[in-house]
Amino acid sequence: MNGTPAPPDEAALVQGLRAGDPATFETLIRTYGGRLTQVARRILFNEEDAREVVQEAFISAFKAREQFSGDAKLSTWLHRITVNAALMKLRSKRRRPEEPIEDLVPRFLPNGRHTEVFRSWDEPVDVALERKETAQFVRDAIDRLPEAYRTVLILRDLQGLTGPETAEVLDTTVNAVKIRLHRARMALRTLLAPQMEGAAS
Amino acid sequence: MTCREMTDFLVDYVSGELDPAVVAEFEPHLERCPNCRVYVTQYRETIIAARLAVGAGAASDAARGAADRADDPPPMPDELVRAILNAIRKP
């Protein structure tokens, strides 16, 4: 994954993991723990929950070590366990019903044109995002996306996983990931527009 | 190419994976359609805004080949590592 140093030797780690070697497991935790906590934090928007989930995920991984076949990369396998645990926690805390994605994506006329006329965002986003309120607004908007779309946006655009990696983590197809990512981005744009249109005034 | 088709192709366009023959139809549409020009810009800016908002750095999709140093996560705190190792030692 982006930024993660390559672990010493994937094959040796897999062997140590399956043998239940504590030293290997410690290496795994230290190599991947930071990145996994980051994913969990971005899904849950809560530091304490993120740490709890990552702990649970590593414990699950240890318990399931003999089932790890080595077909997938260790990183992908650990991401999958962590993302699933984070989503379960998110669902247990689900505060409000999800807005349907259909309500958030653009619509088209029979002739193929947009129904909406889009108003420019005059201020460059990097300038707008220097303001705390705007950054919080964007985070809140991400949080409003329906879960399946939000998760793909986080994994692809925020964590930098590739399409194939994301498909493996979520146990779905590359094409499904691509469609979800696209709709997530379009929905997020819709949610950001009211804030970004008024920004420079 | 209609606005609808353009919008459908956006995900591949932004990642640089769009068939060159289709890209060749994109540009003329953008030249004549200010609405789509605005939309494509905002689609890209949405990705950048999301990354900045969570502290993932500003690297755009196309530029993400190089690791975005702003996004390197802090290492796991020792007490968390130990807590996990203790938990797995239990019978």
Side-chain angles (χ1 to χ4, degrees):
Chain A
M1 316 274 151
N2 261 358
T4 307
D9 177 357
E10 176 105 351
L13 283 179
V14 172
Q15 204 168 49
L17 167 70
R18 292 174 62 108
D21 173 42
T24 301
F25 207 69
E26 184 168 345
T27 303
L28 277 180
I29 298 170
R30 290 188 189 278
T31 305
Y32 296 110
R35 184 68 68 188
L36 295 174
T37 310
Q38 191 184 54
V39 174
R41 187 188 302 123
R42 287 171 179 172
I43 291 175
L44 292 161
F45 276 132
N46 180 299
E47 184 65 31
E48 204 184 296
D49 285 348
R51 289 186 178 198
E52 235 179 81
V53 157
V54 171
Q55 277 199 67
E56 278 168 34
F58 273 115
I59 293 166
S60 293
F62 188 76
K63 289 186 182 153
R65 66 192 180 280
E66 280 160 37
Q67 280 100 64
F68 177 66
S69 64
D71 281 349
K73 288 182 344 189
L74 274 169
S75 172
T76 308
W77 181 64
L78 291 170
H79 268 78
R80 187 196 282 208
I81 296 172
T82 305
V83 168
N84 284 339
L87 291 176
M88 273 179 52
K89 181 142 219 127
L90 186 69
R91 285 169 204 153
S92 76
K93 299 190 129 189
R94 208 8 132 178
R95 327 114 276 184
R96 66 182 112 78
E98 291 188 336
E99 287 173 76
I101 197 77
E102 278 313 314
D103 293 354
L104 298 172
V105 296
R107 300 204 177 141
F108 300 91
L109 299 167
N111 66 5
R113 297 176 72 113
H114 282 283
T115 57
E116 192 181 335
V117 176
F118 303 109
R119 296 176 48 200
S120 276
W121 300 350
D122 292 320
E123 198 177 31
V125 283
D126 53 348
V127 174
L129 267 286
E130 279 167 16
R131 291 193 295 278
K132 283 197 193 119
E133 317 81 65
T134 308
Q136 188 59 47
F137 184 90
V138 176
R139 287 191 292 271
D140 289 344
I142 294 170
D143 207 33
R144 278 169 70 184
L145 295 173
E147 183 193 287
Y149 300 91
R150 189 162 162 276
T151 305
V152 172
L153 186 100
I154 290 170
L155 293 177
R156 288 285 284 119
D157 282 344
L158 307 185
Q159 292 304 113
L161 270 70
T162 66
E165 281 168 343
T166 304
E168 274 213 68
V169 169
L170 297 178
D171 197 18
T172 184
T173 64
V174 168
N175 211 51
V177 165
K178 193 188 279 197
I179 291 169
R180 269 187 240 171
L181 175 63
H182 181 45
R183 290 162 82 74
R185 288 166 170 175
M186 291 195 290
L188 187 58
R189 192 220 66 87
T190 301
L191 292 172
L192 296 188
Q195 177 80 357
M196 306 302 274
E197 281 166 23
S201 49
Chain B
M1 181 174 282
T2 65
C3 305
R4 170 176 228 140
E5 286 162 338
M6 260 213 57
T7 307
D8 285 344
F9 283 129
L10 258 184
V11 59
D12 286 331
Y13 181 66
V14 157
S15 69
E17 289 170 349
L18 193 58
D19 193 292
V22 181
V23 175
E25 292 181 56
F26 241 64
E27 313 284 327
H29 180 95
L30 283 178
E31 267 163 47
R32 343 177 269 274
C33 186
N35 210 26
C36 280
R37 273 206 299 279
V38 171
Y39 195 79
V40 173
T41 303
Q42 291 180 359
Y43 184 92
R44 288 194 147 114
E45 295 198 318
T46 296
I47 301 167
I48 295 171
R51 291 177 59 83
L52 288 172
V54 304
S60 69
D61 187 76
R64 215 190 296 125
D68 192 331
R69 287 285 145 226
D71 199 32
D72 274 351
M76 288 273 269
D78 270 341
E79 67 271 9
L80 197 52
V81 177
R82 277 196 294 273
I84 296 169
L85 291 171
N86 284 336
I88 68 177
R89 271 183 209 125
K90 291 186 190 141

